[in-house]
Amino acid sequence: MQSSAQGIKQVFYRKKRYFVYLIAAIVLLGFPFITINGTHIFLLSFDHGELHLLGTRFNMQELYLMPFLLILLFVGIFFLTTLAGRMWCGWACPQTIFRVIYRDLLQTTIFGLRKKISNKQQPMNLESFANKLKAVLAFVIIAFLCLIAAANLMWFFVPPEDFFTYIANPSEHPVLMVFWLGFGIFFILDIAFIQENFCIYICPYCRVQSVLYDNDTLMPTYNYNRGGFVYDKHGTKIDQKLKFIDPNAECIECEQCVKVCPTHIDIRKGMQLECINCLECVDACTSVMDKLNKSSLVSWTSPTAMEQNQKVRYFRFRTIAYIVVLSVVFITLLVVSGKKEGMLLNVNTTSELYKIHTQEVVDNTFRVVFHNTDSVDHEFCVEILNPNIDSDIASRLEIIKPKDPFLVKAGQKRTEMVTIRAKENLSKNDKSDSIYPIVLRSFALDNKEQIFAKRKTNFTYPSQETIHTYLQKREEARR
Ligand code: SF4
Ligand code: SF4
């Protein structure tokens, strides 16, 4: 038996939800503005071709992290749904938060267009002109908030500092404006007109949840052992009063759990796809039963726990398997992101394979793109390394261009023609060219150990016959 304790719990559930809404709103609104050395917590910028993750900046060429993030996202959703049903929907989804703000806060609590938030089936009272005006005002406020929400969504793709600059010149940034206003209008239509039909008919998450549930999943559950059956096994409501069928049935058929439901379902029928796990029905029945000095007939538990009067089994094969997969992917993500190169290097050969100067002096020129992916400017150098410990090729070559370090601004690319010269005759064969694997290493002068990149390529030395023929032709041309 629970009396006043249940009363406190009922208020506490709702308060808990509102508290989570507040935290979610602060996190979502605040995150785009937080930067670590100029890098965002999360930003997928198509504009700059960058992914920012937890203060680390990745170039689009480094999007090998994306599959890990997507696996984390999807497995995380599967895990949460198996564990606690549509908890996301009721507790953190912006759709639900905005519906609560619009219906419960603006229309009901502030403007009094509905009598109470515990009856969501009641239509608005729009008979008087004053009420019509209030309804328009509520709509204007929610429309304004929807535009902020749409901007908030955009900030994860266009950082706020760019966003505000761009919208100051809308004619120069039509794509941004179309996306922002498009999302804004969709949000307004959704919150004001589509309402919970979005959760029931449109949201893809609703469709997949049924395959993720099991009998140990946490969900609002009606205790038919105590309350009595209200529906038959075909889902048809039993007409007679419960007391007539089962004199011990505790459900008093007040229908408070039905009236309060934002998706207009009766939880006594069992688990339904439409349930968004908001727990309003739990609160409602707790409140009713509290007055009778009984515990709630609808509680946040699992069907198995309810039937067997046990605690919910959180740890079972499926949830443990998800935890293992999530841990492995998360650790892999940390390891892979920790191996991020401080810069990017792209080495391409030019159309001229080599340039012969004399019998011993031969150059190879490469077109090298240096990409400073760091958030600060750096001066870069380039050097030659041996490809393996058995090779001494690096000591037999020298870089003759560029000789001096060169500046690459933060986030910028710079293309340099890198010319490598053989210090001696490297020909191994009279008839065919000799190819030497080499490694080009570029590094930032001010942070040689952390900001560097290596790329393998080949140095090609012409055959003796090629050199001889070339020099002979050049001599003849001179004469
Ligand atoms: S059945 Fe209960 S938890 Fe589910 S949507 Fe309705 S009120 Fe919310
Ligand atoms: S609120 Fe509780 S008592 Fe009232 S109809 Fe629902 S389950 Fe029955």
Side-chain angles (χ1 to χ4, degrees):
M1 294 290 170
Q2 304 197 31
S3 53
S4 56
Q6 282 297 318
I8 293 165
K9 195 175 175 187
Q10 186 260 335
V11 176
F12 196 45
Y13 259 137
R14 182 167 289 163
K15 275 192 175 174
K16 268 184 183 172
R17 263 189 314 123
Y18 290 172
F19 182 70
V20 174
Y21 293 169
L22 188 68
I23 299 288
I26 291 171
V27 168
L28 285 173
L29 275 168
F31 253 39
F33 291 91
I34 301 172
T35 56
I36 302 167
N37 294 328
T39 307
H40 293 263
I41 304 282
F42 179 85
L43 171 71
L44 183 58
S45 168
F46 296 103
D47 198 5
H48 300 291
E50 290 175 346
L51 167 71
H52 295 198
L53 191 63
L54 302 176
T56 306
R57 188 183 299 240
F58 296 91
N59 190 267
M60 283 295 179
Q61 294 170 33
E62 300 174 285
L63 284 191
Y64 49 81
L65 290 182
M66 229 32 193
F68 294 103
L69 291 175
L70 290 175
I71 293 170
L72 273 184
L73 177 71
F74 282 105
V75 179
I77 289 172
F78 295 167
F79 170 63
L80 185 68
T81 311
T82 304
L83 188 73
R86 284 178 85 171
M87 195 184 175
W88 159 261
C89 305
W91 289 68
C93 177
Q95 153 87 18
T96 304
I97 298 176
F98 271 72
R99 284 293 300 150
V100 168
I101 292 173
Y102 188 42
R103 181 196 54 225
D104 294 350
L105 180 66
L106 292 173
Q107 292 180 336
T108 310
T109 309
I110 295 180
F111 293 117
L113 299 171
R114 286 193 189 87
K115 281 201 182 113
K116 45 192 177 183
I117 58 175
S118 58
N119 189 347
K120 302 188 201 315
Q121 322 297 339
Q122 210 178 31
M124 280 191 290
N125 175 3
L126 296 175
E127 279 171 18
S128 67
F129 178 72
N131 277 9
K132 287 190 177 88
L133 213 59
K134 286 176 185 173
V136 171
L137 196 54
F139 179 79
V140 170
I141 295 171
I142 201 69
F144 176 70
L145 293 177
C146 284
L147 286 176
I148 293 178
N152 193 181
L153 175 67
M154 298 294 296
W155 294 337
F156 290 95
F157 302 94
V158 180
E161 59 270 23
D162 290 352
F163 181 85
F164 291 115
T165 312
Y166 294 167
I167 60 168
N169 299 296
S171 59
E172 289 177 23
H173 303 281
V175 177
L176 177 89
M177 296 305 293
V178 166
F179 270 97
W180 177 36
L181 295 177
F183 281 128
I185 291 167
F186 175 73
F187 289 169
I188 294 167
L189 291 175
D190 175 32
I191 301 303
F193 302 105
I194 302 176
Q195 304 175 357
E196 275 71 23
N197 290 324
F198 184 89
C199 315
I200 301 168
Y201 301 111
I202 302 175
C203 180
Y205 181 43
C206 167
R207 305 285 122 202
V208 297
Q209 54 151 337
S210 56
V211 293
L212 299 169
Y213 275 35
D214 59 31
N215 278 338
D216 287 305
T217 300
L218 205 52
M219 60 182 86
T221 310
Y222 170 68
N223 191 334
Y224 51 81
N225 289 330
R226 280 181 51 213
F229 286 96
V230 183
Y231 289 82
D232 65 18
K233 59 183 178 189
H234 304 295
T236 309
K237 194 163 185 183
I238 301 168
D239 266 347
Q240 300 100 320
K241 286 280 180 198
L242 280 175
K243 297 289 174 203
F244 178 73
I245 303 164
D246 178 1
N248 296 322
E250 292 180 36
C251 176
I252 60 167
E253 289 204 276
C254 64
E255 305 254 318
Q256 289 303 316
C257 56
V258 183
K259 289 178 193 156
V260 80
C261 179
T263 57
H264 303 194
I265 59 169
D266 187 344
I267 194 64
R268 296 172 300 170
K269 200 173 178 180
M271 185 55 210
Q272 292 146 83
L273 284 184
E274 293 87 343
C275 177
I276 58 168
N277 229 317
C278 67
L279 304 183
E280 289 273 13
C281 53
V282 179
D283 285 353
C285 191
T286 304
S287 193
V288 171
M289 286 286 119
D290 194 34
K291 294 189 182 88
L292 302 173
N293 227 6
K294 292 178 179 179
S295 59
S296 178
L297 296 173
V298 188
S299 49
W300 198 25
T301 184
S302 72
T304 304
M306 186 274 290
E307 269 171 35
Q308 298 173 359
N309 206 13
Q310 287 176 347
K311 286 188 175 172
V312 177
R313 265 192 338 131
Y314 294 105
F315 295 101
R316 48 199 193 270
F317 177 77
R318 281 174 78 172
T319 52
I320 292 170
Y322 282 134
I323 291 171
V324 170
V325 173
L326 283 171
S327 307
V328 169
V329 176
F330 187 67
I331 291 168
T332 312
L333 177 70
L334 286 184
V335 172
V336 173
S337 59
K339 287 186 175 170
K340 169 185 160 41
E341 291 177 319
M343 62 172 295
L344 291 174
L345 195 62
N346 210 331
V347 179
N348 298 297
T349 50
T350 56
S351 54
E352 188 182 38
L353 200 53
Y354 39 68
K355 186 165 183 169
I356 302 165
H357 295 284
T358 68
Q359 190 74 29
E360 280 82 27
V361 181
V362 172
D363 293 344
N364 278 196
T365 297
F366 301 87
R367 188 173 177 278
V368 183
V369 181
F370 299 84
H371 189 169
N372 179 3
T373 55
D374 202 9
S375 51
V376 290
D377 299 351
H378 290 292
E379 288 205 319
F380 286 93
C381 284
V382 62
E383 65 182 359
I384 307 166
L385 301 179
N386 292 320
N388 53 56
I389 49 167
D390 300 327
S391 169
D392 65 346
I393 186 66
S395 63
R396 300 159 79 187
L397 301 171
E398 65 176 326
I399 293 176
I400 60 165
K401 187 174 160 242
K403 277 282 185 203
D404 300 318
F406 48 88
L407 179 77
V408 187
K409 288 186 175 291
Q412 302 285 307
K413 291 178 188 171
R414 177 167 171 160
T415 304
E416 287 284 328
M417 303 308 285
V418 174
T419 303
I420 299 175
R421 177 163 291 173
K423 291 187 200 169
E424 58 192 71
N425 190 333
L426 297 176
S427 178
K428 290 191 269 193
N429 196 309
D430 282 353
K431 296 281 182 198
S432 57
D433 295 347
S434 303
I435 296 176
Y436 293 89
I438 59 169
V439 172
L440 280 184
R441 179 181 187 272
S442 177
F443 54 89
L445 266 185
D446 57 341
N447 196 350
K448 194 172 178 174
E449 299 308 318
Q450 288 184 325
I451 301 180
F452 68 88
K454 294 178 190 174
R455 292 292 176 269
K456 288 178 183 170
T457 186
N458 292 316
F459 184 89
T460 309
Y461 200 92
S463 67
Q464 283 305 315
E465 193 175 281
T466 306
I467 295 174
H468 182 74
T469 309
Y470 173 79
L471 293 175
Q472 204 172 32
K473 280 185 183 167
R474 192 172 71 182
E475 195 54 38
E476 282 170 11
R478 275 191 191 150
R479 283 197 214 118

